[in-house]
């Protein structure tokens, strides 16, 4: 049998693929990364929309979460990158039934988070797992429980509350403080994380034949086939579930089951540029949320005048984001305007009508198919199962879906890629 072309082939040049390739290079394994798109970074992608005056704009990841423990922060610091202390710059406003929250309401809101967490922990201890919606139902008299559910399920985790595992939520650690690399995470990734790696862009992988003699893997692309001793697949669970990447033989049932229980959530960033000098009496970099009602009350948090810029950015997450994405850009902008009008009245019409507008569309990217994944109730372990070695470690999966406690983040993707590389290294060791 001819010897394989490479030691390891990595599918995808997002954070997981780059993390894996870096670790493999560091131990001297011959590795190539095959990337379908024409750029590296995947969901870390900085653009410069004209509609927003050409300022840098992260289409996907924006923050380095849990910055004190985030490995990408260390890399950024080593390279002398400027890291913006976004939490310290931020001011916050919460509205309750149209008025600014009183001090007492604000204090109750603050106290509601540990109440919600304690209720989730108690329900998980009793039932093994529950949905986030179950936690809210359990806190029937808590006026803030629907707000916390709205923040944590559809907004932050992009998940429908009734299909989202409370245990998955509790295992994740988006705690600590956040930093933002000046110029955007996507730009940082393409500037700092691709050097010295063998990456082939515009090379979609169509089929992976695995389980050959000695564990050999053959990867079929539009530009021909490549053989390797092992393969690390870092595409999203949305791509895996779509069948756009075929496996021969089909993946083991445990892997298919893990993918099915890690569906993609959806998030849309919608930005509207102001045309006048009015700033709605809000300071720069101001986050605005509101108390959410119990009955079908779609919630869109806004960041006004990020870093002193002249636009507002809304975040639409969860099932509403899928519905609006399907309805199109005008529907997304109408929804954002409706939410702004409910908060600030007709002033927003004068301020935003005729201004630039910009909407992200991760649903339409065939190489991603959503924002990031969440685990369904009683399947929080799907992340570990997806990251477990297949074929004795000759086939590994990595990515944001496989990591705890940094699920759905750039750090989680990077760490999971490095973990997969270690497992492959052990598998290929003489
Ligand atoms: C709107 C939004 C906001 C976010 N905000 C944050 C944030 O503030 N902080 C944070 O830490 N995280 C954030 N995230 C999450 C973060 O961006 C992701 O968790 C992380 O980038 C995922 O990396 P990955 O390597 O797992 O996957 P990806 O980035 O999706 O990389 C996979 C790569 O595989 C490629 N690919 C797919 N199919 C094929 C194929 N058949 N052949 C070859 N290549 C293929 C894709 O093009 C892609 O480049 C956000 C994400 C979104 C969408």
């Amino acid at each position: 049998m001819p010897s394989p072309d490479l030691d390891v082939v990595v599918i995808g040049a997002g954070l997981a693929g780059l993390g894996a390739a870096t670790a493999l290079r560091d131990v001297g394994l011959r590795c190539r990364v095959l990337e379908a798109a024409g750029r590296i970074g995947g969901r870390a992608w900085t653009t410069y929309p004209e509609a927003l005056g050409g300022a840098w704009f992260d289409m996907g990841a924006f923050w380095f979460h849990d910055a004190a423990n985030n490995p990408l922060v260390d890399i950024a610091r080593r390279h002398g990158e400027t890291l913006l202390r976004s939490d310290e710059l931020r001011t916050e406003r919460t509205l309750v039934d149209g008025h600014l929250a009183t001090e007492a309401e604000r204090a109750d809101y603050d106290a509601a988070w540990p109440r919600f967490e304690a209720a989730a922990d108690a329900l998980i201890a009793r039932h093994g797992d529950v949905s986030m919606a179950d936690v809210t139902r359990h806190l029937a008299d808590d006026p803030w429980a629907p707000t916390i559910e709205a923040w944590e399920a559809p907004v932050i985790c992009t998940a429908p509350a009734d299909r989202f595992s409370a245990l998955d939520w509790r295992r994740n650690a988006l705690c600590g403080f956040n930093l933002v690399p000046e110029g955007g995470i996507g730009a940082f990734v393409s500037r700092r994380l691709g050097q010295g790696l063998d990456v082939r862009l515009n090379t979609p992988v169509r089929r992976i034949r695995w389980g050959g003699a000695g564990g050999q893997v053959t990867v079929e692309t539009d530009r021909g086939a490549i053989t390797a001793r092992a393969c690390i697949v870092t595409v999203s669970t949305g791509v895996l579930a779509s069948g756009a990447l075929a496996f021969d033989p089909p993946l083991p049932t445990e892997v298919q089951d893990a993918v099915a229980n890690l569906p993609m959530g959806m998030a849309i960033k919608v930005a509207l540029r102001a045309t006048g000098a009015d700033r709605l009496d809000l300071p720069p970099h101001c986050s605005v949320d509101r108390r959410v009602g119990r009955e079908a009350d779609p919630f869109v948090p806004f960041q006004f005048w990020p870093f002193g810029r002249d636009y507002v950015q809304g975040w639409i997450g969860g099932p509403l984001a899928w519905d609006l994405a399907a309805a199109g850009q005008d529907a997304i902008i109408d929804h954002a305007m409706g939410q702004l009008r409910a908060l600030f009245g007709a002033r927003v019409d004068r301020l935003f009508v005729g201004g630039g507008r910009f909407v992200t569309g991760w649903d339409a990217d065939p190489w991603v198919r959503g924002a990031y994944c969440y685990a369904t109730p009683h399947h929080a372990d799907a992340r570990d199962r997806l990251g477990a070695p297949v074929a004795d470690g000759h086939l590994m999966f990595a990515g944001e879906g496989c990591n705890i406690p940094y699920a759905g983040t750039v750090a989680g993707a990077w760490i999971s890629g490095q973990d997969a590389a270690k497992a492959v290294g052990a598998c290929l060791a003489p």
Side-chain angles (χ1 to χ4, degrees), residues 94-95 144 147 288-293 297-300 339 343:
T94 295
L95 297 169
W144 290 101
T147 309
V288 176
D289 73 350
R290 65 178 172 83
R291 192 163 72 188
V292 175
D297 182 6
F299 164 61
V300 179
Q339 293 273 319
L343 294 173

Side-chain angles (χ1 to χ4, degrees), residues 126-163:
R126 197 175 319 144
H127 302 289
D129 196 5
V130 291
S131 72
M132 289 289 275
D134 289 330
V135 181
T136 310
R137 273 192 286 273
H138 180 76
L139 293 168
D141 298 328
D142 189 327
W144 290 101
T147 309
I148 293 168
E149 176 194 291
W151 261 116
E152 296 293 331
V155 170
I156 294 177
C157 296
T158 71
D162 58 343
R163 297 287 303 135

Side-chain angles (χ1 to χ4, degrees), residues 162-225:
D162 58 343
R163 297 287 303 135
F164 180 33
S165 156
L167 179 57
D168 190 44
W169 174 62
R170 292 299 284 147
R171 288 175 78 204
N172 220 356
L174 293 188
C175 48
F177 64 103
N178 304 293
L179 292 174
V180 173
E182 169 101 72
I185 285 195
F188 159 76
V189 170
S190 50
R191 197 163 52 234
R192 302 298 188 192
L193 301 185
Q195 305 108 324
L197 302 178
D198 178 0
V199 182
R200 304 291 158 99
L201 300 177
N202 301 306
T203 310
V205 174
R206 305 294 180 187
R207 180 182 302 273
I208 298 175
R209 296 189 192 281
W210 59 282
Q216 186 166 308
V217 177
T218 304
V219 169
E220 295 176 3
T221 78
D222 297 349
R223 299 167 174 218

Side-chain angles (χ1 to χ4, degrees), residues 42 47 131 177 242 296 337 385:
T47 60
S131 72
F177 64 103
S242 74
M337 280 301 289
R385 284 189 280 127

Side-chain angles (χ1 to χ4, degrees), residues 47-123:
T47 60
Y48 307 87
E50 239 176 73
L52 304 179
W56 60 267
F57 184 95
D58 272 320
M59 307 289 282
F62 174 70
W63 284 288
F64 286 141
H65 296 297
D66 196 4
N69 300 303
N70 189 318
L72 298 169
V73 169
D74 293 340
I75 296 174
R77 288 210 168 108
R78 275 206 303 277
H79 284 288
E81 296 278 343
T82 303
L83 294 167
L84 305 171
R85 306 189 78 81
S86 146
D87 296 5
E88 289 166 24
L89 297 172
R90 186 173 60 217
T91 46
E92 290 172 354
R93 299 278 189 280
T94 295
L95 297 169
V96 176
D97 303 331
H99 68 264
L100 206 56
T102 61
E103 238 172 74
E105 284 166 336
R106 188 71 235 183
D108 195 31
Y109 186 19
D110 289 344
W113 294 85
R115 273 203 305 267
F116 195 95
E117 289 168 2
D121 290 344
L123 288 171

Side-chain angles (χ1 to χ4, degrees), residues 333-353:
I333 290 165
D334 282 354
H335 187 81
M337 280 301 289
Q339 293 273 319
L340 286 168
R341 227 172 264 125
L343 294 173
F344 297 99
R347 242 170 125 178
V348 298
D349 288 306
R350 289 189 292 278
L351 187 54
F352 294 112
V353 169

